[in-house]
Amino acid sequence: MTDTIWTAEVAARYDASSAAMFAPEVLGPAVDFLAERAGGGAALELAVGTGRVALPLAARGVPVHGIELSAPMAARLAAKPGGDAVPVTLGDMATATAPGRFRLVYLVFNGITNLLSQDEQVACFLNAARHLEPGGAFVVEVFVPQLRRLPPGEVALPFDVSDDHLGFDRYDVVRQRLVSHHYTVEADGSTSTGRSPHRYVWPAELDLMARIAGMAPTERYADFTAAPFTAESTSHVSVWRTSA
C-alpha cells in the first residue's frame, strides 16, 4: 500500500487535506485523552504519519515513538519543528518492533482499517500488546460502519459533500471492505481524485481481537471528549489493557 497510496505526493498534501483533524477542538481532546492514559510513561503511535498527534503529545512531555509504513510521511514528520523528538521505526504496524516498552500504544483516525484482512488486524493487536508494559493501554479511534444507512440494493454512501470536496464510501459487505473515493477542488481550481481501501471492523470484533492478544476492554466512548458511546455513534474511541 505504501507505493500506491502513501506516496511522496500524498505526504506533501496530507496535512492540508486533513486540516479539519488539526482543529483545536478535534486535536486538543485527543491529546488530553492520550496524555492521561500515558500516565507519565512513554507512548507508541502506530501509523504515526506526519505527526499530527505525536508532536503535540510529545510537547506535553510524553516521550513518543512512532511506527510508520511510509517513508515520505515519516520524512514530513521529521522535518517539522520538534520532529527530532519523535523517533520513527519504518515498517508495518502489524509486525514492526520499536525499541523499549510503553505505557500507551495508540492508533487513531481509522488507522486500523488500513489493514485489509482480519489476520492483519489481529496481528496489529498482538503487536500492540507486545509493546505494552503490564497494565498498559491500547487506544484505538475508528469509525463505526454505517451499514444501516444503506438502502436495499445500494452500495455507496456520501461522507462529505462540501463546496470543495465530495467523499463517498463504496461498501463490499461480503468481504467487509469499503473504498473511500475523494473528489477535491484544489486552490488553483483544478480537480484531484483519490481513493483508499479499508477493512471496516465492528466494536465487538475489536474486543475479540484484544482478547486474542491478552488484553481486556476497559473504556469505550463516542470520541476523545469521552462522550457516551451509543447505538447512534458514528465512531468510537476504545481502550484495552494488558494484565497488571
Side-chain angles (χ1 to χ4, degrees), residues 12 30 57 67 108 113 155 172 181:
L57 186 60
I67 290 178
V108 298
T113 68
V155 296
D172 179 345
H181 298 262

Side-chain angles (χ1 to χ4, degrees), residues 18 31 55 70-71 88 96 122 152 190:
S18 304
V31 173
L55 290 173
S70 168
V88 175
V122 170
S190 63

